[in-house]
Amino acid sequence: MSSRMVHESALNDLRRGFTGVLLTPGDPSYEERRHVFNAMIDRSPALIALPRNEAEVARAVAYGRAEGLQIAVRGGGHSVAGNSTTDGVVVDLRLMNGVTVNPDARAVRVGGGATMADLDRATQPYALATTGGRVSTTGVGGFVLGGGSGWLERAFGLACDNLLAAEVVTAGGDLVRATPHTHSELFWALHGGGGNFGPVTSLTLRLHPLPALTAALLVWPPESGGEVARAYREFIAGAPDQVGGGLIYLTAGEEPFVPRGLVGKLVCAVLITYTGQEAQAREVMAPMLRLGHAGAMIAQLPYAQLQSMLDDPPGYRNYWSAEHLDAFPDDAVDLFCARAHDMIVPSPSQHVLFPQGGAVARDADRYPLPWRHAPWIVHPFGLWNDPADDTRGKQWARGLREDLSPWASGAVYLNFIGHEGEDRIIAGLGRHNYQRLARIKAHYDPDNTFRLNHNIKPAP
């Protein structure tokens, strides 16, 4: 019997009783389903499996292992490295996107294929929220498992700090529930260790009261960037934990509050979020409001709306990186602002400075996330259309990291980077943590079946 016939026989076995969707090249919707967020990544999976339950996830994994095919797990598909696709088997969780809110317990159960929009829209009617990604189309699973940095982190902690339980399908096909009391080592590992241990089919997250949220987006011409960045640095140093946001160089869109002369051009912007009423927010924001911005949007708005304000359009070529800073002195400010002019403009690219501190810095050694000690993150977030711009876009991102290396902590949030080598993975987790994670990996995935991630190699 030929290998092709064996493959068809195994696929037919998988189809029997499979209530989800199985797609092979040539099937309707295959082309739509195979694409991921980063247009630089172009893979043609032998099989895209969209299961409807945990048992079907396990069957799809078993099929891939039996056929000797590489396995990728897809939630939102936002991995800049393209880890959510492969030429082998993609276990696509997007049909498992249910969200169930328990307002009395202030908890929510989220399917492994849910996006931030699914989560935020479900919790909003109860005036409850948890730290989410900064883009509404981001998958909740990969976001949380990588740590989870978002607008509300200074107030509510990282997303993984709010993880109460997770259900994981192991490489051997078992469904395990990880909590602080059951599979507790695995539970610890899921706070930054990503998808190394198996597809996470559901997460239970803690919710926080959020009766009001205010956001301000302030815009200046780029030549004001140095003054704005210094003022923002001092503002954050004295800001309460309810304040989040970031300083962002970006291409200004055609919005009512953007002066016509700045539309389509590079601008320096500050986004300030505040978990409270607009009147209180304006008092807290006063130092930034006094700087004389060129345009401003200040409003009390639903959290789900804030989450989609800066959504990145799909279909662009992506390259991202990050560096965490122990300090942001004037010399660093000057280098950060100067490098913004190397961005590809106009494009959706962003040249970002995020503050940490607040709840992010509390219990900073509890989980394998050594980067949470740093007060600042710089995040070159590149998106462009033309492949001819690939070299320029990557050089801009790498140049920013190099410029600010004298103040770098050495650690890095892995959700913000692509393939940058094993040393960066270890830096993102901490060497001692990495060794512990490798032992956990060896227990749940000794063959490294789930290696399309910031990979933790199983300990011998």
Side-chain angles (χ1 to χ4, degrees), residues 51-52 54 57 73-77 91-99 109-116 118 138-143 145 167 199-204:
R52 294 191 184 276
E54 292 84 355
V57 172
V73 180
R74 173 171 181 155
V91 181
D92 188 328
L93 302 177
R94 282 180 288 176
L95 298 183
M96 300 175 64
N97 65 345
V99 179
R109 186 177 186 273
V110 186
T115 64
M116 290 312 313
D118 296 323
T138 299
V140 177
F143 170 73
L145 300 177
E167 293 182 328
V200 174
T201 56
S202 78
L203 307 96
T204 303

Side-chain angles (χ1 to χ4, degrees), residues 372-444:
R372 62 193 299 166
H373 291 274
W376 300 100
I377 315 171
V378 289
H379 180 34
F381 184 89
L383 299 93
W384 54 86
N385 265 322
D386 190 344
D389 287 327
D390 288 357
T391 299
R392 177 184 166 193
K394 292 176 181 179
Q395 287 176 343
W396 154 67
R398 293 166 181 165
L400 178 61
R401 283 189 55 212
E402 183 178 350
D403 287 349
L404 297 177
S405 61
W407 302 280
S409 73
V412 61
Y413 175 37
L414 296 178
N415 277 359
F416 273 177
I417 71 170
H419 292 304
E420 296 186 5
E422 185 177 18
D423 287 347
R424 283 280 270 176
I425 296 172
I426 294 172
L429 300 166
R431 186 167 296 278
H432 177 73
N433 292 329
Y434 184 90
Q435 293 168 352
R436 181 177 170 186
L437 289 162
R439 294 192 294 271
I440 300 168
K441 173 79 169 182
H443 180 78
Y444 290 96

Side-chain angles (χ1 to χ4, degrees), residues 84 132 161 189 191 202 210 213 226 233 246-247 253 275 294 311 345 351 371 378 390 403 418 449 453 459:
S84 49
D161 294 336
H191 291 71
S202 78
L210 187 64
L213 178 71
R233 179 186 62 191
L247 185 146
T275 54
D311 271 3
V345 176
H351 184 88
W371 45 266
V378 289
D390 288 357
D403 287 349
T449 296
N453 39 50

